[in-house]
Amino acid sequence: MIFPKWTNWLPLALGLGAALAGGAVAAGVTIYLTPKYTRAGYQPVQPVPFSHQIHAGQLGLDCRYCHNGVEKSWFANIPGASTCMNCHNQVLKDDPRLKIVRDSAETGKPIAWVQIHKVPDYVYFNHEVHVRRGMGCDACHGRIDQMDEVRHDKSFSMSFCLDCHRDPAANIRPVDKVTTLGWQWSTNAAEAAQLQQTEGKKLVDHMRVESLQSCSACHR
Amino acid sequence: MKNNLNHSASPVTGRRYWRSLDELADTPEFKDWLHREFPVGASEMVEDGSSRRHFLKIMSASFALAGVATLGAGCRRPEEHLEPFGKQPENYTFGEAQYFATAMPTRTGAIPLVVKSYEGRPVKIEGNALFPGSNGSTDRYAQASILDLYDPDRARHFKHDGKEVTRDEALGFLAELSRKFAANSGEGLSFLAESSTSPSRARLQKIIAGKFPKSQWFTYDAVDSGIHQRAATLAFGQPVKPVFHFEKARVILSLDCDFLGGEDDANNHIRKFAAGRKAGEGMSRLYAVESLFTLTGASADHRLRVAAGEMLQVAGLVGDVGGAIAGENTKFISDWIAECKKDLAANPGNVLVVAGQRQPIEVHLLAYKLNSALGAIGKTITLVPVAENSGADLKQLDSGATDTLVILGGNPAYNLNWSAKARTVVRLGYYEDETADKAGWNFPATHYLETWGDAQTSDGTSVPIQPLIQPLFGGLMELEFLARLAGEAQAEAHEIVRATFGGADEAWKKFLFNGYLADSANAAVTAQFIAEKTPAVDRAAIVPSASSLEVVFYRDAKVDDGRYANNGWMQELPDPITKMTWDNAVLVSRKTAKELGVANGDLVEISLNGRSVKGPIWTQPGMADYSLGLALGYGRERAGRVGTGVGFNAYKIFNGKYIESGATIKRTGETYTLACTQHHWSMEGRPAVREANLEEFIKEPLFAQESFHGKEPPIVESLYPNPLDEAKKTALHQWGMTVDLNACVGCGTCVIACQSENNIPIVGKDQVIRGREMHWMRIDRYFTTDPKRKHNDSIFDPKSDANQADENQQFAEWIDDVQAVNQPMMCHHCETAPCESVCPVNATVHDQEGLNVMAYNRCIGTRYCSNNCPYKVRRFNYLDFNKRPLKDLNGASKFGVTYYPTTLTHSTGEGDKKEWDLLRWWKDSNSGMRTEDEWDLIKLSKNPDVTVRMRGVMEKCTYCTQRIEHAKISQKAKAGQTGNVRLMEAEGTVPKTACQQACPAGAIVFGDVSDPKSSVSGLKALPLNYSVLGDLLTRPRTTYLARVRNPNPAMPDYHAPFSTEEYESQSLTKKGNS
């Protein structure tokens, strides 16, 4: 009689405890270590306090004025300092906040912007096809025109991409409205939702949107 | 690997680590976070030191989480930077490829190219489809040459007596030389260079001859392709060179001329020859007489194997000039020649007789006589004028009159048996090789992709050589080197080429844009063969025997004359006929091996003219008896990390003549392992390659299906519907491919093109021996024979050929007289792919357009898919081949066991910079086990559109899905809000796969099988179309066009294709039975 009687339940208790603990860890990882929690909200400090709210929101600059490569290549480029100097050689000409930009435009030394939106190396996302085929910038990047500092708005998990790819009609808009952030089919919210469904489907059919879901679309 | 955007001048820190909470508290990110989240706490925090600790105590829990979530350390991915230009250049978009026209210079011409460049660096070489007559293809040397650009072993420094000097010092020395020789009219100055067709170099040569009239210019080529020009000049009495038009010839006789393989300009020959091989009436006929088994012999309708030294006699007999065949089989040979002669005579004007580069000039003269008598001159051979060849006689090179020798490129210390007798040797070279060791001054040369220059293609059309990238290591361009030596005021290569071109600026821009100058080809001249030049054919044929062997030196199919020895892709490309990698061997016929008492792998010593070299034996089916085949270009001593010590150096016994006699062989008793990718030679009667003679094809066009009983079983309604059948209804395209076995000669350009396009790594000799070569595309080469010569009476007989181990094939008598067939094999993208249903993690799936897709990130490496693939086209990354250093390519050896070090056991770096790899990995997860220079250069060579695979994942041909996606994206972007998204061949929007684009013969056709008007649909509808292993119901999308041979019924060796005879003798349901 080495073991007291209550140890009879010990294996069961341990097993149950392990299962519960394991389940909790799994659940925790599944919920909290997904891009929705680890990526959304990422808002790093940038070397230059550039405010999209002022430039894209207040001043109404089109996204493509600076991010001009977005319609020609997979990569949406950050503009070179020379693009900034197009205006800032007159506006806020000597402002100390723009010193780095002025130096960069003059010497060619690049500004080390912190990359916020990045998909893994095994994903080959292409901006050109999305922007030219009716995906609004804010569908993935959120309301940049309201952000003083850009933050990672959506989760950018594979399910995020698939949600749209499985139902492009719910997100598509006319191609010329792609850079109008926050664009809706109508000012009335209910009507907008309704029109998104119907007009969206019309667009998808007319444009023969493939909205590929097989692996070869993104993974090469 | 995707673009690494970290091009910063200042180092990027990557992960941010903090060692204590205090340090964390000091970072601006933390202060910022604090400010945003806790405005009250922030001010407390910043002002009072003591309250900081109190504050942190309270905040400790959320503090820890903050560290995790906010500051970029811990679980979040490391901070990466995007660094745009300071001054944005015009017309440049990051991520978009740019294409530039250039050319790769060859010995007798140039290959016009269009090179794809990403972010200012070239990644893929393609042919220039705009070039008149070109189909946009290249050859395997051009495809592999891009790896040389990123070779870590290339010369990077100017050196004087082995010590580095600055560029200015070196250029100053050139200026000094220039002054010195200007003063004494060039006395004592000699140049040694390889052949070139560059008009700019010729212009500078004239300037040099004018400025230094006493200087000498020597031209040499280890593999002499200039004999065609010399023979033509002699035969026709004017400086001309021949251009062969194989597409116009109905009957071609090749006298040891490997025009599909080893000859210069082979890609043009292949293209033209393939054009004449369309199955049907009017198909050409090829007779080949040779000693080695070459690609030309593999494509020949009739092949006669005689010793190479007897070619003069054969030519004499064909030309009715005399000659006699000695040795065995004289009756058969004379019958063969007689019928061949008749066939030639029956097709006047439509014949072409070509003599090989290695044959002596007499054979060439006889060939021209024949061509002239048969009316070929002006029709299948056109003669184009060339500049007079004014080079000095090479024999004067070591005469002692040279005080300063300037060597341009080449590698004379290795392939010319040259030794430095001159006082000063100045060398402009791409590698620090054997010649660099003997030169006092070494100037690093630029690669042609970094060079301004020009050239002329084989028919005389001017093409530019335009750089795609600044010289990576500050090398010197050849034209600049010569101009400086000549003391020219204008020494910039770009200006020199511009000056040679002359013309208006608009014409120059067009020249650079198009990649050629229209109408600049030399007009053909008419000329008569000078009858007096007919050589006498009275010397007795040197009949080789076991004690006096013939030696045939040939240009290697991979390393050329040795220049590509350090090119990993070339070393690992299986030789088109022997399928050997990483080595050369002494090729012998079975009979010779038997008499000499040697077997595969035996190390023997060959003695010729008082010199000797050791090499391993390899039995070659179909080779002439008592003839040894030695590939030049191996056994390098200073090639670099990849090529040093690979193979044996045949130049040791080479004396400038490609065919020698009187060699002896001695067994050394040692053995040597050779890495071969295809050990089994026979198809064993299986209908992988289906052939028929032309008569049979005309009688029964459906032979590929009917005769081979390969009619695919009917597609029965399946219990489980194939999702692809549903997808076909809505998908835009359905991709498919055909490979025309009539056109394919087995050159291997597609294999290298695929390797270049898809970032396929090299694995090293040891791994190839284990069958782990990574080529997504391979070319299966089978030897077929008369089934009566095989012992296959019963599969239960242990002595039957089918039951022999591969090592015993070399002793089987059937390999003496064989035919060879080539079959490119890559993923067939089967509609009911056996690989897809067995993947436990669904890493390989079928997309709606018919592609069998491989998702590398999902693969866990069970290799069940490869197990199930009947075509065995899947390749597995057993090791992380990309991270292994080149000098450890073949692993390390301990206690006789080869093992491959990992980061745990390996250290990288030299001397005091040697660091444990695990530590290096911790600091930078991308460091691998390679030194930085190797690593950086290898990264540059990768195609950014294609994933670079790591250890543990399966890979295979993807039908170049990146090109398909790119084409679809471009079309969709163009379509905008319209529905015009389908890629149509008629509109030119359908992409080409890398193999298709590179193939000189145009054998591979890829396209949309759901489009009835596409080329591929047309080809699949042909009666010749069949699928390999179709009876397994895999429904492959890649099908083949059966091969049609065109033998002459009157010939003594007329028979049905051996593969068909083998199949019928094995087949249980023989033809005629039901």
Side-chain angles (χ1 to χ4, degrees), chain B residues 104-250:
Chain B
M104 170 165 151
T106 64
R107 290 182 184 90
T108 58
I111 305 178
L113 306 172
V114 166
V115 182
K116 180 178 183 185
S117 157
Y118 270 119
E119 279 66 74
R121 71 180 199 285
V123 291
K124 182 73 172 66
I125 292 178
E126 303 291 357
N128 187 351
L130 275 179
F131 189 85
S134 162
N135 57 1
S137 63
T138 49
D139 70 355
R140 55 185 177 275
Y141 302 110
Q143 289 291 333
S145 62
I146 194 160
L147 192 66
D148 279 343
L149 173 64
Y150 300 116
D151 193 342
D153 288 312
R154 56 182 287 196
R156 309 182 205 180
H157 310 287
F158 293 86
K159 286 203 173 151
H160 174 43
D161 287 334
K163 281 195 296 288
E164 240 179 271
V165 296
T166 63
R167 186 193 178 98
D168 287 329
E169 276 174 54
L171 295 179
F173 171 71
L174 275 185
E176 205 185 289
L177 273 185
S178 173
R179 280 191 298 273
K180 170 176 162 195
F181 287 110
N184 74 349
S185 305
E187 176 143 15
L189 175 64
S190 294
F191 292 86
L192 177 62
E194 294 186 304
S195 301
S196 158
T197 58
S198 164
S200 288
R201 194 179 98 162
R203 184 167 72 83
L204 284 174
Q205 225 178 307
K206 271 209 203 75
I207 294 174
I208 285 174
K211 269 215 176 112
F212 312 130
K214 296 208 188 115
S215 67
Q216 292 179 298
W217 188 287
F218 298 97
T219 311
Y220 97 99
D221 280 305
V223 174
D224 176 29
S225 307
I227 190 164
H228 296 283
Q229 180 179 324
R230 291 198 302 276
T233 303
L234 203 57
F236 296 97
Q238 41 181 302
V240 286
K241 75 170 179 181
V243 176
F244 300 120
H245 299 276
F246 290 97
E247 74 279 17
K248 298 205 182 113
R250 284 289 305 265

Side-chain angles (χ1 to χ4, degrees), chain B residues 225-290:
Chain B
S225 307
I227 190 164
H228 296 283
Q229 180 179 324
R230 291 198 302 276
T233 303
L234 203 57
F236 296 97
Q238 41 181 302
V240 286
K241 75 170 179 181
V243 176
F244 300 120
H245 299 276
F246 290 97
E247 74 279 17
K248 298 205 182 113
R250 284 289 305 265
V251 183
I252 305 164
L253 171 62
S254 155
L255 298 167
D256 200 17
C257 181
D258 187 14
F259 61 90
L260 298 174
E263 291 282 331
D264 211 48
D265 214 27
N267 63 316
N268 282 328
H269 299 321
I270 292 173
R271 188 184 75 241
K272 293 180 190 168
F273 178 70
R277 293 295 280 190
K278 296 276 178 292
E281 296 284 355
M283 189 173 162
S284 67
R285 179 174 290 151
L286 173 60
Y287 295 89
V289 186
E290 58 182 20

Side-chain angles (χ1 to χ4, degrees), chain B residues 857-931:
Chain B
N857 39 303
R858 220 168 158 137
C859 175
I860 57 169
T862 48
R863 308 195 288 283
Y864 199 164
C865 54
S866 170
N867 191 17
N868 224 25
C869 174
Y871 307 99
K872 286 292 174 276
V873 286
R874 283 177 161 269
R875 317 306 310 169
F876 186 68
N877 286 279
Y878 283 92
L879 303 170
D880 196 340
F881 296 117
N882 283 301
K883 289 209 172 144
R884 274 167 42 210
L886 286 174
K887 65 177 182 58
D888 291 339
L889 205 52
N890 295 319
S893 185
K894 234 187 187 116
F895 312 121
V897 175
T898 309
Y899 73 99
Y900 289 89
T902 59
T903 49
L904 209 55
T905 54
H906 191 264
S907 301
T908 303
E910 299 295 315
D912 55 348
K913 278 208 239 136
K914 201 160 183 161
E915 224 185 334
W916 188 34
D917 276 321
L918 199 59
L919 195 62
R920 286 174 74 240
W921 173 82
W922 181 251
K923 291 189 199 157
D924 172 13
S925 64
N926 275 328
S927 56
M929 298 192 294
R930 299 176 104 149
T931 51

